[in-house]
Amino acid sequence: NAGVTQTPKFQVLKTGQSMTLQCAQDMNHNSMYWYRQDPGMGLRLIYYSASEGTTDKGEVPNGYNVSRLNKREFSLRLESAAPSQTSVYFCASSEGPGGNNIQYFGAGTRLSVL
Amino acid sequence: GQSLEQPSEVTAVEGAIVQINCTYQTSGFYGLSWYQQHDGGAPTFLSYNALDGLEETGRFSSFLSRSDSYGYLLLQELQMKDSASYFCATHGSARQLTFGSGTQLTVLP
């Protein structure tokens, strides 16, 4: 029962470098989400995909892009990393509208931008 | 936009009952959820309310009043393992979540 799998678990970048955070779910969920969590704070939504083929901006989309590659996979890309993007990134999935309202989270990617 | 308010910290002793309140302002309301997060871990789902009233799941209960834009999480028979952060979150139309800043619960022996 893998659930939601995120890679990598840890990453250190230099300012200006790019990288892609990977997320895959095996629960046949329609909706997927990317959040970031800064120390002592709640999670903030970056982007979400309500269904395969659609993506929408969340609360803090600037500096990020996403790709819903297929129903299972939803990636988050940082084109030019900045120190302000140092955070823990969580991917989540859910059945989506019409289903239950439970979001299942991956273990997170801890990103430091120097 | 959406905003949620919850206390930053709560402390209680083992075996006690604790209530964590949450007030919210939202432009479109599809429900209120509660998530638990242990240090260094991922959030895990506890409870969801779409309609007014109380939902009970074991030692945890959650209440919602849509007219007051208010909800709470009630934890009974506290155990040491309940020490964690608890987040309320409102749902958008695509069930995306807007989280509060979290309440750090410390359970003392």
Side-chain angles (χ1 to χ4, degrees), chain B residues 15-100:
Chain B
I17 299 172
V18 71
Q19 178 174 313
I20 300 174
N21 299 320
C22 175
T23 58
Y24 60 87
Q25 290 183 321
T26 179
S27 55
F29 183 78
Y30 292 84
L32 184 72
S33 283
W34 289 90
Y35 283 77
Q36 178 191 60
Q37 185 180 33
H38 287 98
D39 282 348
T44 56
F45 172 82
L46 291 177
S47 189
Y48 170 74
N49 296 72
L51 303 175
D52 288 359
L54 191 69
E55 293 284 340
E56 297 181 82
T57 308
R59 294 187 297 115
F60 295 171
S61 302
S62 59
F63 172 82
L64 176 66
S65 169
R66 293 174 65 124
S67 60
D68 294 325
S69 298
Y70 164 75
Y72 66 72
L73 179 70
L74 191 73
L75 297 85
Q76 303 182 73
E77 302 173 14
L78 282 174
Q79 302 175 9
M80 298 296 289
K81 67 178 182 180
D82 297 330
S83 290
S85 291
Y86 293 83
F87 296 90
C88 59
T90 54
H91 288 249
S93 59
R95 304 302 182 263
Q96 74 275 26
L97 294 172
T98 298
F99 284 84

Side-chain angles (χ1 to χ4, degrees), chain A residues 71-112:
Chain A
K71 192 171 186 179
R72 289 186 64 248
E73 299 173 287
F74 189 38
S75 62
L76 178 71
R77 183 161 178 84
L78 288 71
E79 290 291 350
S80 179
S84 61
Q85 294 178 306
T86 293
S87 191
V88 180
Y89 291 84
F90 288 100
C91 176
S93 71
S94 76
E95 292 182 2
N100 69 37
N101 292 281
I102 301 172
Q103 286 197 13
Y104 297 86
F105 286 79
T109 295
R110 284 150 182 80
L111 176 66
S112 292

